[in-house]
Amino acid sequence: MTKRIAFLASDVDVAQSAREALVARYGNVSPRDADVVVALGGDGFMLRTLHSTQHLDKPVYGMNRGTIGFLMNEYGETDLLSRLSEAEEEVINPLFMKAMDQSGAMHEALAINEVSLLRAGPQAARLKISVDGRERLEELVCDGALLSTPAGSTAYNYSAHGPILPIGADVLALTAIAAFRPRRWRGALLPKTAQVRFDVIEADKRPVMADADSISISDIDWVEIRSEPKVQHRILFDPGHGLEERLISEQFT
């Protein structure tokens, strides 16, 4: 049976040109009426597509028309229907972030890759870290810290020297960014069910921002993060090129 496809593309010319060619060949419907959503761009656009379509419970198949394509498949026009029929589905859960800024305003966001805290001034951030209500690190002096899902462990987390996590692992990676004190603290592996809280010490003097998949909150006072099992993102990959294989391959390149 022919699949009804919704083609979405980033704003860059190469992605828009690809969308025009694919729509001419396969037709196009709205994401709500589609059997599958095809996202054309890089990983950033893929994340935006997953967020914007999460309420539809539709699988998303990405094709790389951007600079980074860890979540994407190779681009091709001629055999898309057979690739979609043979694609393997990965289901991932995002992180839920709840943050309060210094004005007392509350903010909420979902993050597929990671939630990161970053210093927003010239001085290092000072963070207190608690896990499931228990203080675990009285003070981390750093440029920042992040909590990553397995799907996001090869992104910012990996650049910050955090561990690569198998996609099926029920763990989260807590990673320091340029830790100054404790100088050798590299972070921790936490169960997926853990709730992590960061309290900003001297928030007025050492401002910190929080970022959840590019949704940024300035001048935060504290942040709580946990996995959100009620939200499921369905991502399609060509056989033999799923997230599990990519995570393993990344460690041998």
Side-chain angles (χ1 to χ4, degrees), residues 73-248:
N73 301 284
E74 291 185 5
Y75 178 73
E77 296 178 12
T78 59
D79 57 348
L80 180 58
L81 292 180
S82 61
R83 291 173 70 182
L84 290 176
S85 297
E86 297 170 2
E88 300 171 348
E89 183 174 299
E90 302 273 9
V91 178
I92 61 175
N93 305 117
L95 297 172
F96 173 76
M97 177 189 78
K98 181 178 180 180
M100 188 180 80
D101 65 27
Q102 292 184 57
S103 71
M106 300 297 297
H107 307 267
E108 296 181 354
L110 293 172
I112 296 167
N113 273 359
E114 78 280 317
V115 174
S116 57
L117 282 73
L118 303 167
R119 74 176 192 179
Q123 292 184 296
R126 296 177 62 201
L127 306 174
K128 181 175 73 172
I129 301 176
S130 303
V131 179
D132 292 331
R134 180 178 176 182
E135 182 181 303
R136 290 292 184 176
L137 196 57
E138 182 179 1
E139 181 184 67
L140 172 65
V141 182
C142 57
D143 279 353
L146 61 87
L147 189 68
S148 169
T149 67
S153 64
T154 59
Y156 194 5
N157 172 72
Y158 193 36
S159 298
H161 307 291
I164 292 179
L165 305 177
I167 194 64
D170 289 331
V171 296
L172 304 173
L174 172 57
T175 302
I177 303 171
F180 176 71
R181 187 185 305 121
R183 191 177 296 273
R184 297 187 181 279
W185 192 73
R186 293 296 184 181
L189 292 178
L190 303 174
K192 186 178 180 180
T193 56
Q195 178 166 295
V196 180
R197 178 179 170 113
F198 295 93
D199 287 280
V200 181
I201 303 170
E202 296 183 311
D204 54 342
K205 180 181 178 182
R206 301 169 182 262
V208 171
M209 63 171 287
D211 187 280
D213 282 356
S214 299
I215 299 173
S216 299
I217 312 298
S218 300
D219 298 322
I220 62 168
D221 189 56
W222 56 262
V223 174
E224 291 180 347
I225 312 163
R226 59 172 172 80
S227 181
E228 181 48 89
K230 294 181 181 179
V231 179
Q232 295 185 334
H233 296 288
R234 302 164 59 194
I235 309 178
L236 299 177
F237 293 98
D238 292 331
H241 297 278
L243 278 180
E244 191 73 50
E245 171 60 28
R246 294 174 189 222
L247 290 168
I248 294 173

Side-chain angles (χ1 to χ4, degrees), residues 12-26:
V12 300
D13 291 341
V14 66
Q16 289 293 322
S17 297
R19 182 181 184 277
E20 291 177 6
L22 290 166
V23 168
R25 182 182 290 264
Y26 299 104

Side-chain angles (χ1 to χ4, degrees), residues 59-81:
V60 180
Y61 180 90
M63 286 201 287
N64 192 6
R65 294 283 84 186
T67 53
I68 300 175
F70 185 79
L71 295 173
M72 316 299 277
N73 301 284
E74 291 185 5
Y75 178 73
E77 296 178 12
T78 59
D79 57 348
L80 180 58
L81 292 180

